[in-house]
Amino acid sequence: MANASPAAADGAAAAGLAGDRALEEATFRRITWRILPIFFVCYFVAYLDRVNVSFAKLQMLSDLQLSEAVYGVGAGIFFIGYCLFEVPSNMILHRVGARRWIARIMLTWGALSIAMAFATGERSFYVLRFLLGVAEAGFYPGVLLYLSQWFPTARRGRITALFMAGNPLSGIVGGPLSGLIMQSFGGIAGLASWQWLFIVEGIPALILAVVVFLALSDRIEEARWLSPAEKDAVRRALAADAQAKTLRSFGSAFASPRVWLLCLVYFGVSIGSNTVGFWQPTIIKGAGIGDPLRIGLLSAVPYLVALTAMLIAGRSADRLRERRWHVVVPLLATAAGLFLCGSFRGEIVPAMACLSLAAAGIVTTIAMFWALPTAFLGGAAAAAGIALINSTGNLGGFVSPAVMGWLATTTHSLDAGLYGTAAWLVGTAILVLAFVPARLVDR
């Protein structure tokens, strides 16, 4: 029998390669639809439970006789507990698996979010916010670690953006929902509206803890919903991606100057994020809107803009295989938006435009930022490094509201805090361009 011609052999090889690519695309689509909706909803609830205190503040401060400075410290002390337990939490997740540990995280944070309804003064407010941070520690970096074990770097810009869409959606839906609760639930069962806010918005986390435990698979090998061929396709893609990882051990993450540099970068990002998250309702109220429901409805607008911008940026980053400028440009947009918020205080239309720019910039920045460390961290280094960056960076979550609250109490205005945050974000953008090499992260 005659041997096949070279042309026929080439054709068969090309057909085989096309078949492998089609299988890989179909498999990753299947994985996306299996796990992304769960994490998307979890992050929606997590962010809602973290920042709903910004709506509760509109009435809680007078009921509990708390000052703006106390609110700022209480809002920020969440991140002290969060940062102290972030790395241990992620290392436990790396050992026991995401299914059990993320379910535990959601169960405890849901319970503590509900307990916030029963704060009676400054001390209990501080303690409950601290414990809420301890409870949530590890969720966000744990999800990022989990996604890195299922998706190669070239796919994670869009995937991270889809996961992160829970953040702006919590503003789109959560703002009006919080406003409606604040307007409608006051006095039921003898509880104030801000107390009902914490109770109603804490319950979904308890339900999702059960969903996570039942629906997730810790490893590709345990995913009964994938065929052997699909599992092989994922393993091949991840194995090829792993060759580009330069840090893999636990100790290498702590010894790497690049990891500590990204901790500093994320510190700046966190300052910007929490300035927008914790003070947006106050900015809208300062522009002349007094009704809680109207404040909630208006607060959805910036996050709607942010959701669109983030999804576009995620696709762009993956298509162009470019990461640094997809972080820098949104950082500068956030700085411009916050600076202009201080300049248009008291004017609702310009204030909403500036808030929209700031929210779009910072939400996009967060989603795009995580493509930087996950491009060179793998294995235990990814578990430790992602948690270290998130925990130390999130110290900005304590500094931002504490300083903003102190400045608001001292100057009776948010302007100084907004201008300072804008300047810090410009410096953070320069840091990324100057010290994060494109060859390390652009792929």
Side-chain angles (χ1 to χ4, degrees), residues 336-347 350 354 415 418-419:
L338 292 176
F339 182 86
L340 292 172
C341 275
S343 303
F344 289 112
R345 184 165 51 90
E347 302 176 50
C354 297
D415 295 356
L418 294 173
Y419 295 150

Side-chain angles (χ1 to χ4, degrees), residues 47 51 54-55 57-58 71 167-168 170-172 174-176 272-289 294-306 338 341 348 351-360 362-363 404 414 418:
Y47 196 76
V51 303
S54 66
F55 281 93
K57 163 187 181 286
L58 301 175
Y71 165 73
N167 178 317
S170 71
I172 295 168
S273 173
N274 288 284
T275 298
V276 174
F278 285 118
W279 299 98
Q280 180 174 270
T282 303
I283 293 171
I284 295 173
K285 185 177 182 179
I289 307 299
R294 288 189 65 198
I295 292 173
L297 291 170
L298 286 171
S299 71
V301 175
Y303 287 107
L304 183 60
V305 177
L338 292 176
C341 275
I348 187 61
M352 290 304 301
C354 297
L355 277 172
S356 297
L357 179 61
I362 202 61
V363 168
M404 287 285 290
L414 293 179
L418 294 173

